[in-house]
Amino acid sequence: MCAPKIIQSAHENAARPSRRALFAAAGLAAFAAAAPPARAVPAARGVLDLTHALGPHLPTWPGSPPFTAIPVAWHALGGFGQNALAFWEHSGTHLDAPAHRVPGGATTDALAVTDLVAPLVVIDISARAERDPDAALTIDDIENWQSRHGRMPERAFVAMYSGWERHIHDAAAFLNLDANGVPHAPGIAPDAAEYLVQRCGVVGVGVDTLSLDHALSRDHGAHTAILGAGRYGVEMLANLGAAPASGATVIVGAPKHVGGTGGPCRVIALT
């Protein structure tokens, strides 16, 4: 086990971005440089990884520090390698528990495990999002999907595919801040989020951007509709363009720490 003081130090530094230079002094820069960049992972034997590799290269919401890892044990000294990790819960491909938006909402440890395996529905708005970075998934998009693929399965997990991960290697483009520092990226319209919860009975909703809401939102209506109904969200999904629109099953390897508002997760589609 790593020393508690090392873990405490890692998390204190993650909460204080101005002290991140201390990580570099401890060898973090070399460790981060060795981390492989995020890349698309092709399907193999009917299994598709919908998760970005979590590392310091991934974009984070403005003001959030990057993921950091510090080697604290080495094979040459004791026979085992180990890292101390520091990250904010909502980093990388991550889950939003209801508690993220709703006081008293379910935390990560209270999520029903049966809700983490579900029929996967992928709704593609990438053509519109390529023209308009503020595009949002709408009720029309949901109904058009159903006209092509039939009634949405009960207790499905619905993912919006905007194609935004094409910017994943360029944090500035992924955040897409304008001259006033306002981000622009696709998301889910609040009434569409309500439709998914109330009319479609989804267990969860995912996006390939940093937020369930389109980045311009100030009332966070999609978060409120989804998390407020006791459902969960998953943000920064990967490889949705390789997933079928219907017929696959998603497995959300959600975190399970007591009192958590969310956390990085491993998301897999069985196609």
Side-chain angles (χ1 to χ4, degrees):
M1 296 178 65
C2 60
K5 287 186 177 180
I6 294 175
I7 297 175
Q8 178 182 356
S9 174
H11 284 271
E12 286 176 351
N13 278 281
R16 299 189 183 101
S18 62
R19 296 178 60 195
R20 287 203 299 272
L22 294 178
F23 285 126
L28 175 64
F31 184 83
R39 61 184 180 86
V41 180
R45 296 183 182 178
V47 179
L48 179 66
D49 194 348
L50 302 182
T51 316
H52 291 292
L54 183 58
H57 53 277
L58 278 184
T60 58
W61 197 257
S64 298
F67 168 90
T68 55
I70 303 173
V72 294
W74 293 265
H75 297 90
L77 298 174
F80 295 91
Q82 185 172 195
N83 300 313
L85 307 181
F87 53 86
W88 285 19
E89 288 177 315
H90 300 267
S91 300
T93 301
H94 67 274
L95 179 136
D96 285 2
H100 181 47
R101 179 63 174 162
V102 183
T107 52
T108 53
D109 52 308
L111 295 176
V113 70
T114 52
D115 289 346
L116 302 178
V117 180
L120 175 63
V121 167
V122 179
I123 302 179
D124 186 346
I125 67 164
S126 60
R128 191 164 75 248
E130 189 168 6
R131 300 189 301 270
D132 178 11
D134 297 317
L137 184 143
T138 66
I139 293 175
D140 283 346
D141 293 319
I142 299 167
E143 293 183 339
N144 288 339
W145 185 96
Q146 293 191 112
S147 70
R148 293 193 300 272
H149 302 285
R151 183 181 178 86
M152 194 173 289
E154 291 291 329
R155 302 184 65 75
F157 177 88
V158 176
M160 176 201 77
Y161 172 58
S162 71
W164 204 247
E165 72 170 308
R166 67 183 181 276
H167 300 305
I168 196 68
H169 300 294
D170 183 347
F174 197 85
L175 295 174
N176 198 28
L177 303 180
D178 63 21
N180 296 315
V182 177
H184 295 265
I188 301 170
D191 60 347
E194 291 177 4
Y195 187 99
L196 288 171
V197 169
Q198 297 174 5
R199 298 284 296 275
C200 302
V202 301
V203 295
V205 180
V207 295
D208 55 358
T209 57
L210 273 172
S211 176
L212 297 173
D213 288 278
H214 61 84
L216 275 178
S217 175
R218 291 297 172 266
D219 61 3
H220 314 296
H223 275 87
T224 300
I226 296 164
L227 305 185
R231 275 55 165 196
Y232 64 88
V234 179
E235 295 165 333
M236 282 188 74
L237 286 164
N239 296 323
L240 285 175
S246 65
T249 297
V250 69
I251 301 172
V252 180
K256 193 179 179 181
H257 53 294
V258 175
T261 71
C265 55
R266 188 69 178 263
V267 185
I268 298 169
L270 305 180
T271 61

